[in-house]
Amino acid sequence: FEGDADSGAAESTSQGEGAPDWELPADSPLVADAQSLAAAYNLLPDGEGSGLYPALALINHSCAANVAIEFLGDAHEAAIVALRPIAKGEEVCHCYVPLSNFSSGAQRRRHLLGQHGFVCGCPVCTADADDQSAGGDGQALELFLEAQAHEQAGDDEAAMAVYEALVAQHTEAGGASAPYEDAVAADVDAPPDSVVTSTALNSLGGYALDVGELQRAREAFSQALVFWPANGMALINLGDLEREHGSVKVAIGHYERAAGLAPVPRRGGWHDTWAGEPTAKCRTMASYMLVLLLHQCGAYARALSYLRRFGGIRYRMSPAVWDLVRSRPEDR
């Protein structure tokens, strides 16, 4: 990189004497991507475009950014410009979103989670979360994001404590939150507390499984379904729990309920992140487990109905083989 620290230019992608050679090798897979972007650029209106800047893509986000990225006119070059003095060893971060686009820190964090797939734990967002007071819809999401940040930092105990506080708060409020279907109808911009609380209970149940507390895990997953009956992951978790430590028959019931969940239409935003994509994955996972368990139990016709969900499968193991496996050694 080249740049003049005194002028505020911390880094630049422009080539010059002493700058590293960032030209892509001819066999790099990024070359095809760059060519596609160049072709797309020619179709965009004047003033709009796309660019591939491998070095800039390495910079992480912070709402308290210490640099900004500036594009240098028609030169197709970009510069990293310092917004304030940057200490030695301090991470260079820029803000992925215009802060003025959001009316609150909660809205900004929801956007970053939904569009970029991470929980922002920068000082600005941490302060926003600390300033939140107990309330209705929206507060549960803030607590959930706080717990997720603890998990990402490797502090499971702190994360579980926040999840428990979230569940207790919503339980004490009588679960008075719009269910998922009402939230869809009202076109709200964030998941309702009932869905967030149900998802938090999935995490609590998973942690209980990790430490061998099976009954506590079963209670958490069951409670998750009280808050959100269409929580596919809670059903999968209950099925796995029963399959490994309880009744196969009960496990099949949980899997069948998960496989029977209605597909969630794509709506973008939190709908896909919290409901659409998880539901699709759970339906597939439950169907797979049903094919396996129902064959093991000799319910071949029921198994076949779920097997047909997987297109392209031409062969399956003969029921006679399953019968042989299920028979006693002395009967073989």
Side-chain angles (χ1 to χ4, degrees):
F1 294 114
E2 65 176 4
D4 182 356
D6 292 336
S7 66
E11 295 179 326
S12 172
T13 60
S14 59
Q15 299 286 327
E17 183 179 356
D21 183 5
W22 283 95
E23 183 176 354
L24 294 172
D27 59 349
S28 170
L30 292 178
V31 171
D33 292 336
Q35 291 172 340
S36 297
L37 287 169
Y41 176 81
N42 294 329
L43 301 177
L44 293 171
D46 291 342
E48 295 185 20
S50 298
L52 184 64
Y53 299 86
L56 301 188
L58 299 176
I59 304 177
N60 286 326
H61 163 85
S62 173
C63 300
N66 52 20
V67 301
I69 295 176
E70 293 186 359
F71 293 92
L72 308 179
D74 296 329
H76 305 303
E77 296 178 347
I80 305 169
V81 180
L83 299 175
R84 58 174 173 77
I86 301 175
K88 181 179 180 179
E90 180 182 355
E91 182 180 8
V92 171
C93 295
H94 79 100
C95 189
Y96 289 1
V97 296
L99 297 183
S100 59
N101 286 2
F102 305 96
S103 59
S104 67
Q107 185 185 41
R108 184 178 67 250
R109 297 180 84 196
R110 289 196 295 268
H111 175 84
L112 289 168
L113 178 62
Q115 297 298 317
H116 296 280
F118 64 83
V119 177
C120 184
C122 76
V124 174
C125 286
T126 301
D128 285 343
D130 290 342
D131 290 341
Q132 290 290 323
S133 59
D137 279 7
Q139 174 63 14
L141 182 58
E142 282 301 300
L143 289 173
F144 186 88
L145 294 175
E146 180 183 343
Q148 291 274 291
H150 285 306
E151 283 196 80
Q152 290 182 0
D155 192 345
D156 288 342
E157 290 189 5
M160 295 308 118
V162 176
Y163 284 134
E164 289 172 351
L166 187 164
V167 173
Q169 172 183 299
H170 198 49
T171 301
E172 291 170 1
S177 165
Y180 174 74
E181 294 77 13
D182 290 351
V184 172
D187 195 26
V188 298
D189 64 355
D193 284 4
S194 57
V195 172
V196 177
T197 305
S198 182
T199 306
L201 283 160
N202 285 347
S203 297
L204 287 171
Y207 182 76
L209 280 180
D210 290 341
V211 297
E213 298 183 11
L214 303 185
Q215 184 56 34
R216 180 182 164 198
R218 185 179 284 106
E219 292 172 355
F221 297 138
S222 298
Q223 189 180 6
L225 293 171
V226 173
F227 285 105
W228 184 25
N231 185 334
M233 187 51 65
L235 291 167
I236 293 291
N237 287 329
L238 283 171
D240 291 346
L241 185 58
E242 292 297 337
R243 176 174 55 84
E244 296 177 11
H245 304 286
S247 164
V248 171
K249 181 178 180 181
V250 174
I252 289 175
H254 290 307
Y255 290 137
E256 287 188 322
R257 185 174 166 187
L261 291 173
V264 178
R266 293 188 65 85
R267 295 183 175 87
W270 70 266
H271 298 281
D272 294 346
T273 305
W274 288 79
E277 294 170 5
T279 298
K281 291 178 181 178
C282 288
R283 279 168 49 87
T284 300
M285 192 182 310
S287 298
Y288 170 82
M289 293 307 304
L290 285 166
V291 170
L292 179 63
L293 291 182
L294 291 172
H295 271 94
Q296 291 176 343
C297 295
Y300 305 125
R302 286 171 65 192
L304 191 58
S305 67
Y306 292 105
L307 186 60
R308 290 194 179 101
R309 293 187 175 189
F310 299 92
I313 295 179
R314 298 178 58 191
Y315 304 101
R316 67 166 176 160
M317 191 175 295
S318 169
V321 176
W322 286 104
D323 289 339
L324 180 62
V325 172
R326 293 170 55 239
S327 65
R328 294 177 299 178
E330 57 270 24
D331 295 334
R332 296 175 187 170

